[in-house]
Amino acid sequence: ERLLLGTEMVALAGRLGSPRTAMWGRLWRVEAMIEAGRLAEAVDELGALGVAVERVGGPISAWHRDRVAACLAQAQGRYAEAAEIGRRGFARMRPIEPAPATGAYFALQCALAGHVGVSAEAEPFLGTFPSPPRFRTIQRLSQAVLLLAAGRPAEADASYRQAGPLGTWSLPAFFVVPGYVYATLVTAQLGRVADLAAVLDRLAPFREEHAIGGGVAYLGPVALALGRGAVALGRLDEGVDHLSAAVTLATAIGAPGYVAEAQYHLAAALLARGDRDRARSLVAECAGLVAALGMTAYAERVAALGGLQKFTTWNG
């Protein structure tokens, strides 16, 4: 529906000669395409969006273009480009509207950290920073993810606790799925079994969708988070099913970083289940992607999994 409305806005802008209407129509189209996993089409739409942005002029319209362009680059595994565009957009918007500028940049840094580690630009977000009341829950959850990526589990647990009990969470509509994905990753890694099971129940209806909030950061197929959560609960068959679906979905839309992430967790689950042959093949393919994309956050983990797989095979 949003894609159709965006298309209608673009047509209306042509009749009215309104570049601002055209800009918002193009933005809605790009964001809807990302949510639908149509990344290549969204990239193609950036050119027309750029034309509208130039006609509108000003740093705020340029920031809107930058935030979706950075999100797309991050989703497609172009991490250095995503970081550069995000940095440029943050510099444009922070002096004018610091809250949205900071929130969008923070979300991008969290997504990047999951694949390339915590950068110097992400480090300030490991501490306290202001957030509007409606974003406090998502801030605590995403900050916990970033703290885990930085190897600080005790602080991650504290941040998660600050979000309050699951029943009290307040998530804007466009952050519900990302919020549950963040919570899945945190509770799985911290061993919060009861919360993890409850979050997975809430996330399950979105299995065929993609996790993205407000056109600022892509978090992969929802099936990826469901698979990681299921494996953490010891539900290996369920986890393998979800993670296999995540590999297929990420491959189909052209999100290679999430293909590699899903392959790694799928290989680990298969190895735990005793399916060494399939795990071996996945580890080799995953290692190639991780090296090609520069996914430093997964390099050692993939190497260790490959070594464990060989050890298990030798003892087999």
Side-chain angles (χ1 to χ4, degrees):
E1 183 179 356
R2 193 179 192 201
L3 184 61
L4 291 173
L5 287 171
T7 303
E8 189 174 331
M9 284 184 72
V10 172
L12 180 62
R15 295 197 297 272
L16 296 177
S18 170
R20 188 171 298 278
T21 303
M23 181 189 81
W24 280 106
R26 296 292 181 187
L27 274 170
W28 284 12
R29 281 176 54 80
V30 169
E31 291 172 355
M33 287 171 180
I34 300 173
E35 289 170 5
R38 295 159 59 176
L39 300 184
E41 292 176 66
V43 170
D44 289 342
E45 190 82 6
L46 286 179
L49 172 61
V51 171
V53 164
E54 291 299 321
R55 289 177 177 168
V56 172
I60 295 179
S61 58
W63 172 74
H64 282 298
R65 177 190 57 198
D66 287 341
R67 66 175 175 80
V68 294
C71 176
L72 280 166
Q74 173 257 317
Q76 293 184 321
R78 295 179 279 120
Y79 304 118
E81 183 180 347
E84 181 181 353
I85 298 171
R87 189 182 309 119
R88 182 179 68 205
F90 186 45
R92 289 187 206 273
M93 190 66 161
R94 182 170 51 174
I96 303 166
E97 293 285 354
T102 301
Y105 196 52
F106 171 46
L108 177 66
Q109 292 300 325
C110 287
L112 288 171
H115 285 177
V116 296
V118 179
S119 68
E121 292 171 312
E123 287 179 0
F125 294 113
L126 294 169
T128 302
F129 61 93
S131 175
R134 69 190 298 236
F135 295 126
R136 282 177 186 160
T137 299
I138 192 70
Q139 179 189 3
R140 300 302 186 212
L141 297 175
S142 51
Q143 191 168 42
V145 170
L146 188 62
L147 285 161
L148 283 170
R152 294 157 63 169
E155 292 170 74
D157 187 65
S159 184
Y160 178 76
R161 288 171 182 268
Q162 287 168 349
L166 176 59
T168 68
W169 290 357
S170 175
L171 294 165
F174 49 88
F175 276 147
V176 168
V177 173
Y180 291 157
V181 167
Y182 285 138
T184 297
L185 300 179
V186 172
T187 54
Q189 292 179 72
L190 293 178
R192 290 183 161 272
V193 176
D195 279 9
L196 174 57
V199 171
L200 289 179
D201 286 342
R202 295 192 177 200
L203 191 58
F206 305 99
R207 182 182 189 266
E208 304 303 321
E209 300 183 24
H210 299 267
I212 174 176
V216 295
Y218 176 73
L219 304 180
V222 171
L224 174 55
L226 288 171
R228 292 182 61 173
V231 170
L233 291 176
R235 305 173 186 169
L236 292 180
D237 290 343
E238 180 185 339
V240 166
D241 179 60
H242 286 316
L243 292 167
S244 297
V247 171
T248 299
L249 284 167
T251 300
I253 70 168
Y258 290 93
V259 174
E261 180 180 339
Q263 286 176 328
Y264 168 80
H265 292 286
L266 177 56
L270 289 168
L271 188 58
R273 203 173 66 171
D275 191 345
R276 294 191 296 270
D277 290 340
R278 189 177 170 197
R280 183 187 302 114
S281 174
L282 277 167
V283 168
E285 188 175 343
C286 176
L289 264 179
V290 165
L293 295 172
M295 292 176 62
T296 51
Y298 272 87
E300 289 186 7
R301 282 188 272 183
V302 172
L305 185 62
L308 178 62
Q309 204 277 332
K310 290 175 185 176
F311 180 78
T312 306
T313 302
W314 180 79
N315 279 296

